[in-house]
Amino acid sequence: REPLGVVGLITPWNVPVVIPAWKIAPALAYGNCVVFKPADLTPASAHALAEIISRAGLPPGVFNLVMGRGSEVGQAILEHPGIAGVSFTGGEDTGRRIAAACVAGDPMKKFQLEMGGKNPLVVLDDADVDIAADCAINGAFLSTGQKCTASSRLIVTEGVHDRFVDAVMARMAGLTVDDALAAGTHIGPVVSPAQLEQNLRYVEIGKGEGARLRAGGELLARAHPGHYMAPALFTEATNQMRVAREEIFGPVACVIRVKDYDEALAVANDTVFGLSAAICTASLKHATHFKRNSETGNVMVNLPSSGGDYHVAFGGRKRSSFGSREQGRYAAEFYTTVKTGYTSA
């Protein structure tokens, strides 16, 4: 294996330190130079990370931070002939444009895309309801729901449906939405006015589609400046509704009632995305079957759908990801190139 060369890293605003770190570290470790373009909404985190990296004593030009809008700085990365590969995490539409630009360029660039998700949390009749409700709260609402692995579809079998909904609503009543740095806060502000507007618009879409808004979904006023909303929970949703099919990227979750495990699995897989999935059950049989047959890149059992470990692969299927997996030994697949050599005696 040899280093790929110079790589462009384009990262999102929702995980402004960790995602850049898990791209930058293997890129440098495998001998590449890095051009790092963070999201324009979170420049301070990127600057702090760059300052830390600068103390490592890298030769000049090995690590480079560039700030600016994606339409300008990102486009320059995509068009520059000296960039050998681009690793991107963000929205699907932007990912598709990056892929097209990498293929159209001369020379063509290697690319790696981590995009959206509409992740299911399946809750079966034999699940521990307290564990399942905790998983739902963590996966759907913490980090203000602003994560690609959020559990925005809560697929629940009918025998436990009502108890599960009651448990989730009881926990929601105890959540504090406020300044993220204030003691006791569970959910911080939405990232921007545009994202808040999108979240609230989807709440109205859900109500218009016939889903029942059981809790939250309203704008909140707080003393500290910010864009705050109460996390929203819909019940009586179907998997054909827009709130169950489109990525919202906010604290909005819908409960979909199903008959049994087989229907739950079918509904969980009925999505254009395939990033992460979770199941709550006491059945080893169903847990094993779900891990094998979930059409996702990450599967959790009795855990939230969000989260991961750096020593194992991260990535998805369908519209969620394209290219090599990130993290662990799989990072070598993207940040290096393989050369086969032959020698005659």
Side-chain angles (χ1 to χ4, degrees), residues 276-288:
S276 186
I279 186 170
C280 291
T281 179
S283 167
L284 181 60
K285 171 187 173 182
H286 285 142
T288 302

Side-chain angles (χ1 to χ4, degrees), residues 29 118 181 192 206 217 233 256 260 282 305 310:
K118 195 67 180 175
L181 298 179
S192 68
L233 181 71
I256 301 170
D260 54 22
S305 64
Y310 305 134

Side-chain angles (χ1 to χ4, degrees), residues 39-124:
D40 54 334
L41 285 174
T42 51
S45 298
H47 188 276
L49 181 60
E51 173 63 26
I52 293 169
I53 293 172
S54 72
R55 301 172 194 163
L58 296 174
V62 171
F63 174 80
N64 309 274
L65 171 66
V66 290
M67 300 280 202
R69 296 186 61 82
S71 58
E72 299 175 4
V73 176
Q75 193 63 33
I77 290 173
L78 296 176
E79 294 176 355
H80 199 289
I83 301 289
V86 176
S87 179
F88 166 78
T89 299
E92 181 191 352
D93 290 343
T94 303
R96 288 180 178 273
R97 291 195 294 271
I98 287 173
C102 288
V103 172
D106 189 12
M108 289 191 289
K109 294 174 171 51
K110 192 175 184 181
F111 59 92
Q112 175 186 62
L113 309 175
E114 290 297 337
M115 298 173 286
K118 195 67 180 175
N119 311 289
L121 168 65
V122 170
V123 181
L124 300 184

Side-chain angles (χ1 to χ4, degrees), residues 121 123 128-139 163-169 171 280:
L121 168 65
V123 181
D128 183 310
V129 173
D130 289 330
I131 290 176
D134 288 341
C135 288
I137 293 294
N138 183 308
R163 287 190 294 127
F164 170 78
V165 170
D166 288 345
V168 171
M169 291 180 61
R171 284 160 172 76
C280 291

